[in-house]
């Protein structure tokens, strides 16, 4: 499913580290795709205001859908005021006019929202907004909190689950799927076949089901997917000379991954794989 795939299966931590070294050269040498010669990007600046009451107006945007057949698209984000963040959705037309923001009705803590082409929104606070339905909470399966980082056009949501009241940054990576009625199912925990103490945390998911993220405690970017019901994990490694990496975005077809590499002394570089 993914280029340069090397099944990790139930490998040990040593095999993971070896895989990281093998991928570093490929990561450095792979050239980016050139833009089509006959296409020049055209951008129009649109000021997406926040909610008018009680005088919010301030806003953040975190995710954008693909345009539909008419060129309209969705933008998901927050309207905020005095430390309170409310999830909202804008519907933007090709000419820059827009409807919204629509108040999705979530709690005043729902930062970082992701949206798919159907206008389904998932938030970092673990809430899901399906058009025509009430707000829903992602099941935490015994944990204390669920966090969503991305949603694809197959209604698959990725993120992680916290298992303590301290709200630690990472618990266990998870995948949720909305059923035909728009209800999120129980999470699939993304730890199958990984060495003890290592977990895969996904930050994005393609429409083909490939997840981009990192292997926590190894400091390594990775991609993962399910093949025949079995979780497959591929480490991507860091750029040469760097000792930590994290994959944060993936193209909709699952063939390109973007992320960040860093050195212990503090320098940071973006990468495209």
């Amino acid at each position: 499913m993914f280029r340069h795939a090397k099944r990790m299966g139930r490998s040990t931590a040593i095999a993971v580290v070896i895989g990281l070294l093998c991928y570093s050269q490929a990561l450095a040498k792979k050239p980016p795709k050139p833009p089509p010669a006959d296409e020049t990007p055209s951008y129009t600046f649109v000021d997406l205001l926040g909610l008018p009451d009680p005088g919010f107006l301030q806003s953040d945007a975190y995710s954008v859908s693909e345009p539909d057949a008419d060129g309209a698209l969705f933008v998901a984000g927050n309207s905020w005021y005095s430390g309170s963040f409310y999830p909202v959705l804008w519907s933007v037309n090709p000419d820059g006019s827009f409807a919204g923001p629509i108040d999705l009705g979530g709690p005043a803590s729902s930062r970082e929202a992701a949206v798919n082409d159907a206008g389904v929104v998932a938030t970092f606070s673990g809430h899901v907004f399906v058009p025509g339905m009430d707000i829903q909470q992602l099941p935490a399966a015994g944990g204390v909190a669920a966090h969503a980082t991305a949603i694809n056009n197959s209604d698959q949501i990725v993120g992680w689950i916290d298992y303590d009241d301290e709200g630690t940054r990472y618990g266990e990576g998870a995948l949720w799927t909305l059923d035909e009625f728009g209800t999120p199912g129980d999470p699939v925990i993304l730890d199958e076949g990984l060495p003890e103490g290592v977990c895969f945390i996904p930050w994005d998911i393609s429409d083909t089901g490939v997840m981009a993220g990192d292997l926590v405690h190894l400091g390594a970017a990775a991609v993962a997917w399910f093949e025949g019901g079995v979780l497959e994990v591929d480490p991507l490694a860091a750029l040469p000379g760097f000792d930590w990496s994290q994959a944060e975005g993936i193209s909709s077809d699952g063939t390109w991954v973007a992320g960040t590499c860093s050195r212990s002394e503090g320098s940071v570089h973006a990468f495209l794989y």
Side-chain angles (χ1 to χ4, degrees):
M1 177 181 290
F2 194 85
R3 292 176 300 165
H4 306 297
K6 176 173 69 64
R7 291 192 180 181
M8 181 174 167
R10 298 182 177 275
S11 59
T12 64
I14 294 176
V16 172
V17 173
I18 293 174
L20 298 182
L21 296 174
C22 292
Y23 276 95
S24 63
Q25 293 302 316
L27 181 63
K29 295 179 180 178
K30 184 176 180 180
K33 291 180 180 178
D38 57 346
E39 294 184 15
T40 301
S42 177
Y43 298 98
T44 300
F45 186 84
V46 179
D47 186 358
L48 299 174
L49 296 176
L51 296 167
D53 294 317
F56 283 19
L57 293 181
Q58 300 177 96
S59 55
D60 297 314
Y62 290 103
S63 180
V64 61
S65 72
E66 291 290 333
D68 63 17
D70 297 321
L73 50 81
F74 293 108
V75 178
N78 301 113
S79 181
W80 58 277
Y81 174 75
S82 189
S84 295
F85 297 83
Y86 297 87
V88 296
L89 183 69
W90 296 270
S91 178
V92 184
N93 299 311
D95 62 0
S97 62
F98 63 91
I102 301 169
D103 185 351
L104 297 176
S109 60
S110 298
R111 301 197 68 176
E112 288 89 11
V115 64
N116 67 10
D117 294 352
V120 180
V121 177
T123 72
F124 182 75
S125 60
H127 295 93
V128 180
F129 306 89
V130 179
M133 298 181 65
D134 292 334
I135 180 176
Q136 301 178 83
Q137 179 74 50
L138 289 174
V144 297
H147 304 281
T149 55
I151 181 173
N152 66 9
N153 286 317
S154 297
D155 289 334
Q156 294 176 306
I157 299 169
V158 293
W160 73 83
I161 296 173
D162 285 330
Y163 289 95
D164 61 60
D165 293 326
E166 299 300 322
T168 54
R169 185 181 179 193
Y170 299 122
E172 289 184 320
L175 169 69
W176 297 265
T177 301
L178 304 184
D179 65 18
E180 60 183 312
F181 304 108
T183 303
D186 290 333
V188 175
I189 304 302
L190 305 174
D191 63 355
E192 181 180 2
L194 294 177
E196 185 176 355
V198 176
C199 62
F200 173 75
I201 299 295
W203 292 96
D204 200 5
I205 183 169
S206 72
D207 290 340
T208 58
V210 181
M211 298 168 281
D214 61 301
L215 292 166
V216 180
H217 307 307
L218 288 182
V223 292
W225 66 93
F226 283 92
E227 187 171 328
V230 177
L231 181 67
E232 303 286 348
V233 180
D234 252 338
L236 299 183
L239 291 166
F242 289 77
D243 43 39
W244 178 90
S245 64
Q246 177 174 292
E248 300 176 27
I250 189 167
S251 60
S252 60
D253 63 359
T255 60
W256 293 96
V257 177
T260 304
C261 292
S262 68
R263 295 187 178 100
S264 56
E265 41 80 11
S267 59
V268 178
H269 285 191
F271 73 81
L272 176 67
Y273 182 85

